[in-house]
Amino acid sequence: MTLGIDRNTTFARLQERLESREGRGLSLFLIHVSRLRQLNRSLGYRAVDEFLNELEERLMRVARDPERVERIGNADYLVTLDGLMNRGHAQLAALKMLDELSKPLQRENRLCHLDAAIGIWMAVDGSTGDTETVLQQLEWAITEAHQTPEKYALWDGEKDESE
């Protein structure tokens, strides 16, 4: 099944957003949805794809701008938000996203719950980085998020990338 995901376009848009911040805070949220393989087996790929489309719509409501939500993998989304100036704002946004993602999905009289984790990257002080580095930092954060009870983790620039 083709998802219509063009990573080159996604990365080019991300680089453009990193370069055009103009002093505004920029936050990136990498969202990974778990348990899809199990649902594919029990409900089928079409049903799961419909669930993922619904999840994307929920994320768009939180982001308040469809242009800020992109599906970048089978079970991964990238959300970019401007104007979040501190860690607390980013955590609040992540909690809103997790709340939307935790609501059950219904298909053929069955309720399904998906698990999600969110890795967060912020640039608030004029520092950014190239796309590759930012994505590596987001990968670190999403790995951490899967291991925390909160299901989100923020890259704060003080982590040892070799961990």
Side-chain angles (χ1 to χ4, degrees):
M1 178 178 358
T2 303
L3 298 173
I5 297 167
D6 181 355
R7 290 193 174 181
N8 290 332
T9 301
T10 298
F11 297 151
R13 265 195 297 258
L14 176 56
Q15 186 63 41
E16 182 181 310
R17 287 181 182 146
L18 289 170
E19 292 170 354
S20 66
R21 295 182 328 100
E22 299 175 5
R24 296 184 318 254
L26 176 70
S27 301
L28 305 174
F29 299 81
L30 178 61
I31 301 159
H32 177 77
V33 180
S34 304
R35 299 187 54 236
L36 291 183
R37 196 169 278 147
Q38 295 162 319
L39 289 174
N40 280 331
R41 279 188 238 131
S42 63
L43 299 175
Y45 288 98
R46 181 168 286 141
V48 171
D49 203 44
E50 289 173 11
F51 284 162
L52 292 172
N53 289 335
E54 184 177 334
L55 292 178
E56 187 171 354
E57 289 175 17
R58 291 179 184 187
L59 291 171
M60 287 178 188
R61 284 194 299 269
V62 173
R64 298 183 183 159
D65 182 353
E67 297 283 320
R68 299 299 183 163
V69 178
E70 296 184 61
R71 189 170 172 189
I72 61 170
N74 187 39
D76 299 311
Y77 296 88
L78 182 66
V79 177
T80 59
L81 297 178
D82 292 325
L84 303 182
M85 299 306 292
N86 62 50
R87 184 183 193 105
H89 290 163
Q91 290 170 329
L92 182 59
L95 288 171
K96 286 180 180 180
M97 289 180 217
L98 286 169
D99 182 56
E100 282 295 321
L101 297 173
S102 70
K103 293 175 183 173
L105 300 159
Q106 188 167 357
R107 176 77 176 170
E108 299 173 4
N109 298 324
R110 292 176 67 181
L111 287 179
C112 297
H113 296 271
L114 298 176
D115 297 323
I118 301 177
I120 308 166
W121 179 91
M122 291 186 71
V124 294
D125 61 0
S127 64
T128 55
D130 63 278
T131 305
E132 186 70 27
T133 301
V134 169
L135 290 172
Q136 288 173 345
Q137 293 165 347
L138 272 169
E139 283 292 331
W140 178 92
I142 197 73
T143 300
E144 285 292 307
H146 278 291
Q147 299 172 17
T148 66
E150 297 85 13
K151 293 297 183 191
Y152 68 85
L154 182 120
W155 169 266
D156 63 9
E158 298 176 11
K159 308 298 183 214
D160 179 5
E161 294 179 61
S162 65
E163 290 179 12

